[in-house]
Amino acid sequence: MRVTAMRARAHRLPLHRAWDGGVDRNDIVVVEVDTDTGLTGTGFSWTPLIGARSVRALLEDDLRPALVGGPAHPSRWDELRRHLREAGTSGITLMALAAVDIALWDLTAKAAGLPLVEHLGRRRTTVPAYGSGVNLDYPLSDLQDQVRRWLAAGHRAVKIKVGSPDPARDAERVRAVRTLLGADGLLMVDANQRWDVPAAARALAALAEHEPHFIEEPLPADDLRSHVRLRSRTPVPFALGENLRTVEEFERYIDAGVCDIAQPNVVRVGGITPFLRIAEAADRRGVPVAPHLLPELSGQLALCLSRPAMVEDIDRASFADLGALAAPSGVRVERGALSADTGLGHGVVFADTLNPLP
């Protein structure tokens, strides 16, 4: 099976409510890869604010000539990454490569006559999910209403944002959410890299009574030394990875003892191929994986991992919630658990009526 054509189109998906910092949309680049067998695979890149046009340009100008005519198989990932190396080996080049890699995995699963989960090797029928929101700017009453919706939907694990300029505000909000959850619910907090070491140590000491299950990104993601310093000052587990890009980066953070839960984003790391390599590296070191966002695909991958933690059910921002899909993908989150019963391939089919990127 060989590639005969590749197409890329960029779309804008307005969010139902802006995320912290004024993020009011998610942009996606959808890729279709045709083959000489008549099969077409679909992939995508996800750029929630910046980069969609650059990703599309890399795909059209640089990846398409290298891809067309060659085997339609994800084993080409390393070859294609080398092809892009003059533009960099991380960042936006990986985000472009992800769209192709996802499409190639979709193709190989379809060629095998299998859903992607079965093609990769399903290990379980469900994986735990948690309610998640980008909600630091929500008034307390809105935050409580959001958590109540998650609880009504069956979630017993939730994640909220922290990192307010006034630490007392964080303490009040975490206390209120813990009250709603009860003692048995899992409460995670995410600082989105807002703290330095002293601020993080003080904040986590103040929040300790509410038993956070983990703190996500307490410090700038690329500052390994500061994470090591903070590690000695708090027992709260660290969840890291949405802003790490390579297998080597994940290995360094895990080996330094500062990544207790790994959170790779399947697009930012370059696709399914490197995502699985990161999961294998984490598994060898006893670290569970909680994929970052994109539940329609991340959830399928979690069903195939030997050591999954949870998948993220982001509030009203899945592809289905944003109206991006032509039909249900077969991935469902119900009563705090994700399951997948897709057609052949990954089952994610984007609507033809999506708004083009302006």
Side-chain angles (χ1 to χ4, degrees), residues 12 21 38 59 63 86 109 124 133 144 155 170 203 242 245 277 282 297 315 318 330 347-348:
R12 176 149 294 170
L59 284 161
L63 271 170
E86 295 298 337
R124 58 193 55 80
Q144 290 171 307
H155 283 300
D170 284 343
E242 70 172 271
R245 306 291 176 141
R277 293 176 182 176
L297 182 58
D315 187 33
S318 67
V348 178

Side-chain angles (χ1 to χ4, degrees), residues 136-223:
L136 187 63
D137 62 351
Y138 280 25
L140 178 57
S141 60
D142 288 6
L143 174 63
Q144 290 171 307
D145 287 344
Q146 185 181 54
V147 173
R148 290 188 185 101
R149 289 199 305 272
W150 292 331
L151 295 176
H155 283 300
R156 297 302 303 161
V158 304
K159 185 176 76 181
I160 68 168
K161 301 296 183 179
V162 292
S164 302
D166 179 5
R169 180 177 183 267
D170 284 343
E172 178 188 22
R173 293 159 69 82
V174 171
R175 184 182 306 110
V177 173
R178 171 54 76 193
T179 298
L180 290 172
L181 266 177
D184 295 333
L186 293 184
L187 172 57
M188 289 82 74
V189 293
D190 180 358
N192 275 132
Q193 310 180 72
R194 290 183 174 91
W195 290 327
D196 54 27
V197 173
R202 287 192 298 268
L204 292 172
L207 299 179
E209 65 179 289
H210 306 298
E211 299 182 337
H213 185 64
F214 64 63
I215 172 65
E216 183 173 335
E217 290 197 323
L219 304 168
D222 58 355
D223 190 346

Side-chain angles (χ1 to χ4, degrees), residues 53 91 149 171 207 228 250-251 313:
R53 291 181 184 85
R149 289 199 305 272
L207 299 179
V228 172
F250 277 89
E251 289 177 335
D313 183 19

Side-chain angles (χ1 to χ4, degrees), residues 2-9 29-35 40-43 55-69 80 96-97 99-101 103-104 107:
R2 305 188 80 78
V3 176
T4 57
M6 189 206 83
R7 298 173 297 282
R9 51 192 172 94
V29 181
V30 178
V31 164
E32 294 173 322
V33 175
D34 297 333
T35 68
T40 296
T42 299
V55 167
R56 183 176 59 188
L58 275 170
L59 284 161
E60 292 177 339
D61 296 344
D62 299 301
L63 271 170
R64 179 162 50 199
L67 183 68
V68 172
L80 294 172
L97 184 52
V100 169
D101 185 70
L104 294 177
L107 272 170

Side-chain angles (χ1 to χ4, degrees), residues 119-143:
H119 183 54
L120 291 174
R122 181 193 292 271
R123 293 174 181 260
R124 58 193 55 80
T125 56
T126 64
V127 66
Y130 67 91
S132 175
V134 187
N135 47 32
L136 187 63
D137 62 351
Y138 280 25
L140 178 57
S141 60
D142 288 6
L143 174 63

